[in-house]
Amino acid sequence: MTTHTPRPVPAPVLKELRTLDDAGRPPVPRTDDEGGAPLRCCLRHSEQGERIALLSYAPLRRWAVETGVDPGAYDEQGPVFVHAEECAGARGDDGLPFTHAHRTLRRYSADGRILGGRLVETPDGFEPALTEAFADPEVALVHVRAVEYGCFLYEVRREE
């Protein structure tokens, strides 16, 4: 079985976002009184008492700059929770995070265009859905997104 690797927001990008987010606003750190926020820096839920920030992030735009493509109208930004200060990042050995709820897997081509999507309703449906997505040679990456808010959670890229 193929294992797909979730990619958190990269550390250099986080450093930039913690100064000025992709909407041009400085972050407003706060203490998380409840815990449970999905952190895109380390791909886990926040714990009560941690310092977090809600930032605007444009994942496809950042990927497009890295790959030299223009995402056109598919460029979008949205809210993501991150630790307010630098953290250790994702451990990489926990499998796919945030699979406890319905998620949309949005597929993108190498030129940054949406190729389709799929609703995943159970934790055991993620790996097969990703395998199916990458069976299409046109799919370069997949965004995992929350259904209830549409927020970006993480991306999975084609293994090279």
Side-chain angles (χ1 to χ4, degrees), residues 2-132:
T2 303
T3 300
H4 299 94
T5 305
R7 298 172 61 104
V9 177
V13 172
L14 288 165
K15 185 174 183 176
E16 293 174 16
L17 294 173
R18 288 182 179 118
T19 301
L20 204 62
D21 72 12
D22 284 342
R25 290 186 293 271
V28 180
R30 67 175 180 86
T31 300
D32 188 349
D33 293 328
E34 297 177 15
L39 299 167
R40 280 43 162 237
C41 50
C42 54
L43 300 181
R44 67 169 177 80
H45 288 98
S46 64
E47 296 177 9
Q48 185 177 15
E50 286 188 296
R51 298 279 296 156
I52 63 173
L54 184 61
L55 309 171
S56 185
Y57 177 54
L60 194 62
R61 180 186 314 160
R62 296 283 185 157
W63 172 82
V65 167
E66 179 185 321
T67 58
V69 301
D70 177 7
Y74 296 107
D75 179 21
E76 61 183 335
Q77 63 191 32
V80 296
F81 287 105
V82 300
H83 277 111
E85 292 83 29
E86 186 176 342
C87 71
R91 293 191 316 218
D93 59 353
D94 293 335
L96 297 170
F98 311 132
T99 60
H100 62 284
H102 293 172
R103 302 292 183 217
T104 298
L105 276 57
R106 191 182 298 170
R107 304 170 186 184
Y108 291 92
S109 67
D111 63 355
R113 303 300 184 252
I114 293 176
L115 295 176
R118 178 168 173 196
L119 176 66
V120 178
E121 299 179 274
T122 61
D124 61 350
F126 282 81
E127 285 290 351
L130 287 165
T131 298
E132 173 189 294

